[in-house]
């Protein structure tokens, strides 16, 4: 596997805002899926790669949003490669795409940002559902109910409950 030079790492870090250690980790995973360094990855490999780094959608909405991001990114890559200005024509061709490491980093950022946004909204909705008295805070009973009924987490004893609020 080809290691990134410190110059390449610094350049990618500056371009993406990602720490060099994260870029190195992502590069190792990327190289695992593209051992011949052809840059050719199919949609399934791209999805598996994202799942391997923890960017796997959990809900139907997340799956739809991630699919949309993949479609946009793949269309951009395919158009850039073919020069065709009509991405829907390019996408009707075989599903293997040239995905450079740099374009993969952009995809990771887009997917990560979208999942963070969707999960933040979901967390706020859960909080609002649990805040039965509309106080803007969760009382112990509301917290316990949220954990048990919405998150499937049960405390086993008072000591665990005390740790939960500490």
């Amino acid at each position: 596997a080809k290691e990134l030079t410190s110059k390449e790492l610094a350049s990618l870090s500056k371009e993406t805002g990602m720490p060099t250690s994260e870029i190195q980790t992502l590069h190792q995973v990327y190289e695992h899926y593209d051992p011949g360094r052809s840059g050719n990855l199919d949609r399934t490999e791209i999805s598996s790669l994202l799942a391997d780094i923890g960017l796997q959608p959990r809900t139907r909405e997340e799956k739809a949003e991630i699919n949309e991001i993949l479609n946009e990114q793949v269309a951009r890559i395919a158009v850039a490669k073919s020069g065709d200005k009509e991405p829907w024509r390019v996408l009707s061709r075989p599903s293997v795409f040239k995905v450079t490491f740099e374009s993969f980093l952009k995809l990771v950022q887009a997917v990560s940002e979208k999942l963070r946004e969707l999960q933040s909204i979901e967390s706020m909705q859960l909080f609002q559902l649990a805040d039965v008295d509309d106080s803007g805070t969760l009382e112990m009973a509301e917290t316990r109910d949220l954990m048990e009924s919405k998150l499937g987490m049960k405390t086993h004893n008072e000591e665990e409950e005390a740790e939960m609020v500490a």
Side-chain angles (χ1 to χ4, degrees):
K2 177 191 172 260
E3 293 291 321
L4 293 171
T5 66
S6 56
K7 188 176 179 180
E8 289 171 320
L9 279 170
S11 174
L12 288 169
S13 180
K14 184 178 179 183
E15 185 181 327
T16 62
M18 293 176 159
T20 56
S21 59
E22 184 177 357
I23 293 169
Q24 284 177 313
T25 301
L26 291 172
H27 188 260
Q28 289 170 347
V29 177
Y30 175 84
E31 292 264 312
H32 172 76
Y33 281 88
D34 186 28
R37 289 188 237 139
S38 66
N40 293 324
L41 300 174
D42 66 28
R43 197 178 176 88
T44 304
E45 289 172 321
I46 293 169
S47 294
S48 296
L49 211 161
L50 290 171
D52 281 357
I53 59 173
L55 296 178
Q56 187 168 13
R58 296 174 301 155
T59 66
R60 189 173 305 147
E61 182 184 10
E62 287 177 5
K63 286 177 185 164
E65 291 285 343
I66 299 315
N67 198 37
E68 189 175 316
I69 289 171
L70 282 172
N71 286 339
E72 289 170 8
Q73 292 285 336
V74 165
R76 214 173 285 130
I77 291 163
V79 167
K81 182 180 175 190
S82 71
D84 194 329
K85 298 295 184 236
E86 299 177 24
W88 55 90
R89 269 199 254 164
V90 177
L91 289 174
S92 67
R93 296 187 192 136
S95 62
V96 175
F97 305 98
K98 190 84 168 168
V99 181
T100 65
F101 180 62
E102 292 76 12
S103 61
F104 169 68
L105 287 179
K106 290 176 183 161
L107 176 65
V108 166
Q109 286 182 306
V111 169
S112 181
E113 192 175 301
K114 182 52 79 174
L115 286 176
R116 194 173 16 259
E117 175 188 324
L118 292 170
Q119 290 167 1
S120 176
I121 291 168
E122 180 185 359
S123 295
M124 194 62 199
Q125 289 170 338
L126 281 172
F127 178 88
Q128 289 169 341
L129 277 173
D131 186 19
V132 187
D133 61 4
D134 285 327
S135 65
T137 61
L138 295 182
E139 307 300 324
M140 187 60 181
E142 293 169 324
T143 304
R144 188 179 310 111
D145 184 55
L146 170 67
M147 291 182 68
E148 290 176 2
S149 66
K150 304 285 187 254
L151 303 176
M153 300 169 64
K154 296 190 184 296
T155 54
H156 295 95
N157 54 44
E158 288 180 23
E159 187 178 309
E160 283 185 357
E161 278 187 27
E163 282 182 29
M164 184 173 68
V165 294

